[in-house]
Structure formats: structure tokens, C-alpha cells
Amino acid sequence: MAHHSVVTIPLAAAVAMLYARLVATLPPPCPRAGDRPPPHTPFTAPLYSTRGIAAFFLVWLGEFKLLLLTSGRGPLDPALRPIPFVFTATLPVKLLPQSPDAAAGAENVALSFLRVAIMVALLQVFHVKDQMHPYAVFALYGIYIYCFLDFLLPCLAALGRALGMGLEPQFHKPYRSASLQDFWGRRWNLMASAVLRPAVYVPVRAGLGAPAGVLATFLVSGLMHEVIAYDITFRLPTGQLTAFFLLHGASVCTEKWCARRWPEYTRLPRVVGTPLVVLFVVGTALWLFFPPLFGDGMDDRFIAEFNALLASLVDAGGTLLQLAGI
């Protein structure tokens, strides 16, 4: 199955989500959608990067979307037509009430080309990574991952528009965050925020208060990242990813408390607040987030896979140019 995982994983996920849509429309005591979570398919993917994407899309977001579906909360709606339902269930996207304008789409295309250029340049830099400080290499991996995700998700949005769906952007210029609350709540991985808020934060806050809700949300996010890391590397969790998210959860709580206690001193101008946020996020990521994913030689596999992918794309482009007589 590993050789055909690029086809079988999406097909298996689509069938599972269609089943979830079907049973979600049935009255009790029929089985509910959450009784049959999507198959744990990332293990069948042969590539490091493919397992990571599948784990993020299906194991992390997909299963939480199904859990919310069982309680009648978004973002999934069984009243959606099959294609939009599968699209939103299996991918980190959220439907908009109306399609975005064409200008926004053109801007995304231009930015996508820029991100591809950055990724190609970084792949060349990675050839000399042994001569660089490990933290510098991890920082470049972070830039690469951001560019990759911010390239992949607009591509999915373009596919959604082709199918007549408007999709909400999943990143909103996180490098301009004025605070950690701004970064995690309004700019970074908005689909994860949209899932965690009703699934974890709201119920915990109702029983134990807002700080507990924040900490519980970041704890769950950290644990799910540990699962994703295990799916990618097949190595037992180290706890570093959970520690990273708990640290940020505690920092968000501290930030909120300070804002209430000393509002006149904590409203920093963006020119000051943004560099501090970026420095904190990058610094803690270099310390806790990237080592479990890229340490101990895992980065070599990552680089080799993307180099092979790039070579395949170049070969395919050359073949197309030859066929076109150019």
C-alpha cells in the first residue's frame, strides 16, 4: 500500500468522511459520526513529508472536526453537499459565506511564486547546513515550513474556488503579530484555533475559568503535535513539543494578566511588540519545537525528499517545454 499511498490515503479519508456525513444525518440510536473516526492512515505513507501532512490534516484536525460534528458544532455541517463536506473535513480549510474577490486570488498567486522561490533557495542553502549553527539551520527549517504551508493552503483555496467554494485564509501575516494572543488567536493556523476553541477552550473555561481553558487548549495542541511527530519520525515522544505549547499557554495567560493589571504599560507599539513576539516564538521553537522533528538526522531525510521532488518538477517542466517545442 505504501507505493500507492498518495492515492489510497485521500480515498480512504474521503470514504470515511462520507460515512461520517451519512451517519450524522441519522436519528438516534443510530451510530454517530464520531463512533467511526477516520482511519489512522499516515503510517501507510512512505515519505517523511507525506506522513506529516496526512497526520496534520487527518489525525489532528480531521478527528477533532468529527468530534465537534457529534455534538452539532462546526465547522462541519452534514447538510453540506458531499464534495464541500469532504473538502472541509479532510483539509485544514473553512468555508466562507461568499467567494473571495479575484484581486485577492491574484495576490495569493503572486505570493505563492515568491514562496516557491524562497523554498528553492533554501534547499540550496541546506546543502551546506553542516557548516552552520544548529539553531540557524532550525530557523531556516521554520521559514521553509511556513513558506510550504502558506503555499500549500492557497493552492487548496484555489482548488476550492474552482469547485465553487470560498475558503478562509489559514495564516494572516503572523510576522506582524503585536502579542502572543494576536499570534495564536488571530494569525497562526486559524483552522486549529477554530477547532480547539469549541472543542477544548469553551467547555474548560465554563467549568474552570479562562486561564484553565487557555492552558488546556495549549496542552491538547502540544499532545497532538507529539502524535504528529511520532507519525513522522516513528520515535517515542520526548515531551518537548508539549512543553513548547504549555510554555506558550502560560505566557498567553501571563500576558492577559499583565494587560489587566497594568494596561497603560503593556500596550506596546507595534514597532516594539512585534519584534518581541517574533523573538519569543522563534527562540522557544528553536529550543523545543524543531529538535524533535528535525534532530538526529531526520532533517537529512526531509531535505532529500524535497530535493527529489524539486528534481521531478524540473524534469516534468522540461518535458512539457520540449513537447511544446520551446
Side-chain angles (χ1 to χ4, degrees):
M1 183 175 180
H3 298 293
H4 307 287
S5 60
V6 174
V7 175
T8 55
I9 288 178
L11 284 178
V15 170
M17 293 305 181
L18 287 174
Y19 171 81
R21 176 180 178 271
L22 172 64
V23 299
T25 62
L26 300 177
C30 294
R32 300 295 297 166
D35 296 337
R36 297 291 187 273
H40 197 75
T41 52
F43 286 126
T44 66
L47 299 179
Y48 177 102
S49 51
T50 308
R51 289 198 304 272
I53 294 171
F56 173 51
F57 287 8
L58 302 177
V59 179
W60 178 190
L61 296 179
E63 292 189 359
F64 270 73
K65 289 177 183 179
L66 287 186
L67 289 174
L68 290 172
L69 179 63
T70 62
S71 59
R73 292 177 287 174
L76 296 181
D77 183 356
L80 288 172
R81 291 177 289 113
I83 290 179
F85 184 90
V86 171
F87 201 84
T88 54
T90 57
L91 299 174
V93 295
K94 183 179 179 182
L95 292 179
L96 288 173
Q98 58 185 8
S99 299
D101 56 42
E107 180 183 0
N108 285 335
V109 171
L111 290 175
S112 294
F113 280 112
L114 175 61
R115 293 177 189 112
V116 170
I118 293 173
M119 288 190 289
V120 171
L122 287 176
L123 284 174
Q124 303 308 310
V125 174
F126 291 153
H127 289 304
V128 295
K129 68 182 182 66
D130 293 337
Q131 304 173 25
M132 303 168 61
H133 192 281
Y135 280 178
V137 178
F138 285 155
L140 294 179
Y141 289 154
I143 296 172
Y144 190 98
I145 291 173
Y146 171 70
C147 289
F148 176 73
L149 290 175
D150 216 21
F151 166 74
L152 175 63
L153 295 177
C155 289
L156 296 177
L159 176 60
R161 284 195 297 272
L163 296 173
M165 296 178 285
L167 302 179
E168 181 181 89
Q170 294 309 301
F171 294 95
H172 181 54
K173 300 178 180 178
Y175 46 83
R176 298 186 60 184
S177 302
S179 65
L180 288 175
Q181 299 174 67
D182 187 29
F183 177 84
W184 290 111
R186 292 181 287 272
R187 294 185 180 273
W188 182 262
N189 198 358
L190 299 181
M191 188 69 254
S193 298
V195 168
L196 285 170
R197 189 175 293 111
V200 181
Y201 175 73
V202 172
V204 174
R205 182 190 63 179
L208 300 174
V214 171
L215 290 175
T217 301
F218 277 90
L219 173 61
V220 170
S221 182
L223 293 175
M224 293 309 301
H225 279 80
E226 297 280 7
V227 172
I228 292 174
Y230 180 69
D231 282 341
I232 294 173
T233 65
F234 297 149
R235 295 175 178 175
L236 292 177
T238 63
Q240 289 172 283
L241 292 168
T242 303
F244 171 82
F245 282 95
L246 282 176
L247 174 60
H248 277 258
S251 299
V252 168
C253 291
T254 302
E255 189 179 74
K256 288 184 175 182
W257 183 83
C258 291
R260 291 194 302 269
R261 183 69 176 80
W262 300 291
E264 65 277 13
Y265 298 111
T266 53
R267 294 175 183 173
L268 299 176
R270 185 176 294 275
V271 69
V272 177
T274 296
L276 289 176
V277 171
V278 171
L279 182 63
F280 183 77
V281 172
V282 172
T284 53
L286 295 178
W287 174 33
L288 294 170
F289 188 87
F290 292 119
L293 295 174
F294 297 108
D296 298 326
M298 292 305 300
D299 57 338
D300 292 327
R301 296 181 59 184
F302 170 80
I303 295 169
E305 286 181 12
F306 276 96
N307 276 328
L309 175 61
L310 178 62
S312 299
L313 292 175
V314 171
D315 290 343
T319 301
L320 290 175
L321 291 176
Q322 289 178 357
L323 292 175
I326 299 177

